[in-house]
Amino acid sequence: MPGEEIKVGDRLKVYVLEVSRQNRGPQVMVSRTHPALVKRLFELEVPEISSGAVEIRSIAREPGSRTKIAVHAAEENIDPVGACVGARGARVGAVVEELQGEKMDIVVWSEDICQFVASALSPADVISVTQLQQGAKACRVIVPDDQLSLAIGKEGQNARLAARLVGYKIDIKPKSYKDEE
């Protein structure tokens, strides 16, 4: 991962991409940047995920910087975000520590795309989300003027990760833009 220093003797958790036979024996391809690594780390830390009570629906990741994951509970009486965070952030803290301080945003997955987009843009507040065309994977989001930079994020990172998490193109506009229309 960018900025990660690995020394001889360090213990690391990696995601195995491929194992192939070579002339000199087996060759194992591993990754610390693959999004499935985050999923596997949460399966190790969160018993609700490994049992199937909580499901990770999508992951958007910029390795070494920030990750957003969308979780969904199979039963109504389970809080999927609370299960992943754990008591005093212990569960998510263990995953963040393994990823060497990578920021982690956990949001609730929803079938309603407008609600899902609004939660994916957290920590920014969202006034409204409208789907631009039926069937098109694009939507317009209206945020308060003072929340615009938070919704977009540093160098567009929050908006980019939210769009990848949801699978939609997201157009973010301030409330003053809507008032002008």
Side-chain angles (χ1 to χ4, degrees):
M1 290 190 307
E4 186 175 51
E5 291 183 23
I6 301 171
K7 295 179 227 69
V8 175
D10 284 354
R11 289 182 171 258
L12 294 173
K13 291 184 180 166
V14 296
Y15 184 73
V16 178
L17 293 171
E18 177 186 350
V19 179
S20 61
R21 292 182 187 262
Q22 299 294 320
N23 293 339
R24 296 181 293 165
Q27 181 179 17
V28 180
M29 297 288 290
V30 297
S31 173
R32 296 228 345 124
T33 59
H34 199 279
L37 174 66
V38 176
K39 183 176 185 177
R40 297 293 180 233
L41 289 173
F42 270 103
E43 286 176 358
L44 290 172
E45 288 296 325
V46 183
E48 290 87 348
I49 291 177
S50 55
S51 72
V54 174
E55 179 182 0
I56 296 177
R57 290 286 174 102
S58 65
I59 299 173
R61 182 172 186 215
E62 289 188 3
S65 181
R66 168 164 266 156
T67 298
K68 283 185 179 271
I69 66 170
V71 292
H72 175 70
E75 302 170 26
E76 281 188 33
N77 59 349
I78 296 176
D79 175 21
V81 175
C84 291
V85 171
R88 294 190 179 113
R91 292 175 176 175
V92 74
V95 174
V96 167
E97 188 177 323
E98 181 61 41
L99 297 174
Q100 304 206 348
E102 189 171 304
K103 304 275 189 280
M104 192 76 54
D105 293 340
I106 304 170
V107 299
V108 177
W109 181 86
S110 174
E111 283 188 34
D112 177 19
I113 196 64
C114 294
Q115 186 178 351
F116 186 27
V117 168
S119 64
L121 282 170
S122 71
D125 297 328
V126 174
I127 295 173
S128 69
V129 178
T130 52
Q131 204 167 351
L132 293 179
Q133 295 175 349
Q134 197 63 25
K137 291 194 166 203
C139 58
R140 174 165 289 138
V141 177
I142 305 296
V143 297
D145 290 1
D146 63 331
Q147 296 274 310
L148 182 62
S149 62
L150 185 62
I152 294 170
K154 186 177 182 180
E155 298 174 1
Q157 186 182 50
N158 193 49
R160 192 170 49 251
L161 285 174
R164 244 187 277 158
L165 186 73
V166 176
Y168 272 58
K169 182 181 179 291
I170 300 175
D171 183 25
I172 302 173
K173 299 289 182 190
K175 186 178 185 313
S176 59
Y177 172 84
K178 186 177 182 184
D179 294 341
E180 289 173 10
E181 284 184 352

